[in-house]
Amino acid sequence: MLAITLTTASIWTAIGTLAVAFVTGISLYFGWRSLRQNQREIELSRDEVEEAHRPVIVPVVDDTSYMDLGSEGAGLERRPQLRSNGRLFVPVENIGAGPALNVEAAVSGTSLPEEAAPDPQTAARVAGLRESGFIPLLIELPRWKELWTFTLTIEYDDIAGKGWATRCVFFRETGRYDGMTITAIERGRPLSDMVRPVEPP
């Protein structure tokens, strides 16, 4: 009689243990699914925030509005302007929904004559351009005596630190840009020589 009671108790204990394990397994499964769903929602929210604050910098050609370059000239049309000593001003505008940071612009081109090759050049650099902001970027090209057809590349970061690049070609014959692309990029910009990390004590 005692043996039967012990066997019955053992069976019920085993059943109880299996039931607890089963319930625990189900709880873990639903907890894991809930965690995955929350992670997906967080990623979607992050993407939505980034898209909602994404800058988009484009070059400007506008015959109906004007810009002032100070000592370089006033009342100039908003289009690429090559001034004295190879100073190329390229007006750009941020038509995106957020500020652009660490803006850098340079020109290149395979059809340039040897005497107008864009090297050496000093790329344009500005710390930031606000939403709906406009600025004439200054690219210094000492060899240029006249405005040539060129490829313009503008690189910049959004507030999340993601890099973007706007590329297009300016045709001097038409005075217009063509072939514009905007792509995500890995920038990997080195720090300026003026910026030095603090050495640990």
Side-chain angles (χ1 to χ4, degrees), residues 23-106:
V23 170
T24 302
I26 290 176
S27 298
L28 288 173
Y29 172 73
F30 282 107
W32 175 79
R33 279 192 60 183
S34 177
L35 179 62
R36 287 292 300 274
Q37 183 175 355
N38 288 341
Q39 286 175 336
R40 280 195 298 271
E41 289 174 358
I42 290 170
E43 288 171 7
L44 286 173
S45 297
R46 184 187 303 121
D47 291 343
E48 288 172 359
V49 169
E50 288 181 7
E51 283 296 320
H53 295 88
R54 178 182 160 191
V56 178
I57 296 183
V58 295
V60 176
V61 173
D62 186 351
D63 302 336
T64 63
S65 59
Y66 303 92
M67 61 184 177
D68 185 352
L69 302 180
S71 62
E72 297 286 343
L76 302 171
E77 292 178 349
R78 292 190 177 194
R79 59 173 56 250
Q81 300 278 344
L82 184 66
R83 312 307 288 170
S84 59
N85 302 320
R87 295 163 67 83
L88 176 64
F89 288 90
V90 179
V92 300
E93 187 173 6
N94 182 4
I95 63 171
L101 307 176
N102 306 312
V103 181
E104 186 171 328

Side-chain angles (χ1 to χ4, degrees), residues 110-133:
T110 56
S111 62
L112 295 171
E114 185 177 345
E115 66 272 14
D119 293 323
Q121 71 173 298
T122 302
R125 291 185 179 90
V126 293
L129 184 60
R130 64 178 173 78
E131 176 189 349
S132 301

Side-chain angles (χ1 to χ4, degrees), residues 87-162:
R87 295 163 67 83
L88 176 64
F89 288 90
V90 179
V92 300
E93 187 173 6
N94 182 4
I95 63 171
L101 307 176
N102 306 312
V103 181
E104 186 171 328
V107 301
S108 61
T110 56
S111 62
L112 295 171
E114 185 177 345
E115 66 272 14
D119 293 323
Q121 71 173 298
T122 302
R125 291 185 179 90
V126 293
L129 184 60
R130 64 178 173 78
E131 176 189 349
S132 301
F134 167 87
I135 189 171
L137 297 174
L138 170 58
I139 303 171
E140 297 195 28
L141 298 156
R143 297 180 182 175
W144 283 31
K145 304 304 179 189
E146 60 181 294
L147 188 60
W148 297 95
T149 294
F150 61 84
T151 299
L152 175 67
T153 301
I154 311 167
E155 296 185 356
Y156 47 97
D157 299 327
D158 61 22
I159 57 174
K162 188 174 183 179

Side-chain angles (χ1 to χ4, degrees), residues 178-200:
D178 200 359
M180 186 175 303
T181 61
I182 300 173
T183 54
I185 59 167
E186 292 290 335
R187 296 192 67 186
R189 297 173 303 103
L191 289 176
S192 161
D193 289 338
M194 296 176 64
V195 180
R196 303 217 178 265
V198 177
E199 297 294 334

